[in-house]
Amino acid sequence: MKKVTIFFSLVVVPLFFNSMTPNTGYQVGDYATNFKLKNIDGNMVSLSDYADAKGFMVIFTCNTCPYAKMYEERIIELHKDYADKGFPVIAINPNDPNQSPGDSFAEMKARAATKKYPFPYLLDETQDITRAYGATRTPHVFLLKKEGADKFKVAYIGAIDNNYRDAKAANDKYVRNAVEALLSGKPVMNKSTKAIGCGIKWQEA
């Protein structure tokens, strides 16, 4: 009786990822791109508009996420405490309003008026800046240190603090500590934390 040898071929099937999946974005130490996005007052806002700034707290946030709402007052406080010292908040709504109607431009204007936002609240209509930075959650903070007229070095990425439920119970205030370090000319000790919040609502392909 003849022996029959059977050979199996291994077929490798490539994995195709949704083209709308964001890239990995910036790491601490990278230089972040400038941007020009529409503010709730209709004007375009760019980092280069702030000639006297020492840096920026760029915070990707939105109207609808429960985590973003819990951090809303803390974001306002950060701006009030540090804008005059050279580190203003620049808030960016990254969500696609088709996926999240409560994050439309009209709703952004209403929310900002109700809460009396003292900082610009920008809409990333194309989501290009959100992808470039690598934001994945709301809220997601990118602390930038200004170096020269148009160079913005990433000094910290992540959460605002370690207790989203209760501001008074937060005993590690990541963003505040990082800004204080930069203002004092000291290195940021905790450069990266995990952003806690809702996933960004991406445009459909």
Side-chain angles (χ1 to χ4, degrees):
M1 186 174 182
K2 285 186 176 182
K3 283 186 178 180
V4 178
T5 304
I6 301 174
F7 295 94
F8 294 91
S9 62
L10 178 64
V11 178
V12 179
V13 180
L15 296 176
F16 294 94
F17 294 93
N18 187 334
S19 63
M20 304 311 290
T21 302
N23 62 23
T24 55
Y26 297 128
Q27 304 297 316
V28 171
D30 289 346
Y31 285 94
T33 187
N34 200 346
F35 49 74
K36 198 168 189 178
L37 299 174
K38 186 166 67 173
N39 191 17
I40 49 171
D41 62 4
N43 294 320
M44 303 301 287
V45 171
S46 172
L47 298 180
S48 55
D49 295 337
Y50 295 76
D52 297 329
K54 298 174 182 176
F56 303 91
M57 292 176 277
V58 176
I59 304 179
F60 293 86
T61 188
C62 68
N63 294 353
T64 57
C65 173
Y67 296 88
K69 290 179 180 179
M70 283 186 277
Y71 272 114
E72 198 168 31
E73 292 297 332
R74 278 173 270 186
I75 294 171
I76 292 170
E77 287 176 10
L78 283 169
H79 181 81
K80 288 181 177 179
D81 289 346
Y82 292 111
D84 289 344
K85 296 179 181 180
F87 280 88
V89 165
I90 307 291
I92 300 175
N93 176 11
N95 285 343
D96 175 19
N98 292 318
Q99 305 298 323
S100 180
D103 289 313
S104 69
F105 191 67
E107 292 294 337
M108 287 172 62
K109 291 170 67 174
R111 184 72 183 180
T114 298
K115 300 299 292 186
K116 295 182 173 59
Y117 284 177
F119 45 75
Y121 189 24
L122 314 180
L123 177 62
D124 185 8
E125 293 182 88
T126 65
Q127 299 185 314
D128 288 344
I129 296 304
T130 305
R131 294 177 192 285
Y133 276 66
T136 59
R137 301 280 169 184
T138 52
H140 202 157
V141 181
F142 291 77
L143 176 62
L144 309 182
K145 180 184 178 185
K146 188 176 178 181
E147 295 184 354
D150 203 33
K151 292 182 71 177
F152 311 100
K153 191 172 186 178
V154 181
Y156 168 82
I157 300 173
I160 292 171
D161 57 38
N162 67 344
N163 195 316
Y164 66 87
R165 294 182 183 277
D166 185 357
K168 293 181 180 178
N171 56 19
D172 201 345
K173 300 180 180 181
Y174 309 129
V175 174
R176 191 172 290 272
N177 293 343
V179 174
E180 288 287 351
L182 293 179
L183 287 171
S184 301
K186 298 177 181 178
V188 176
M189 300 306 294
N190 195 354
K191 295 180 172 65
S192 179
T193 61
K194 182 179 179 181
I196 304 296
C198 304
I200 288 171
K201 308 304 185 290
W202 298 102
Q203 296 171 358
E204 292 184 345

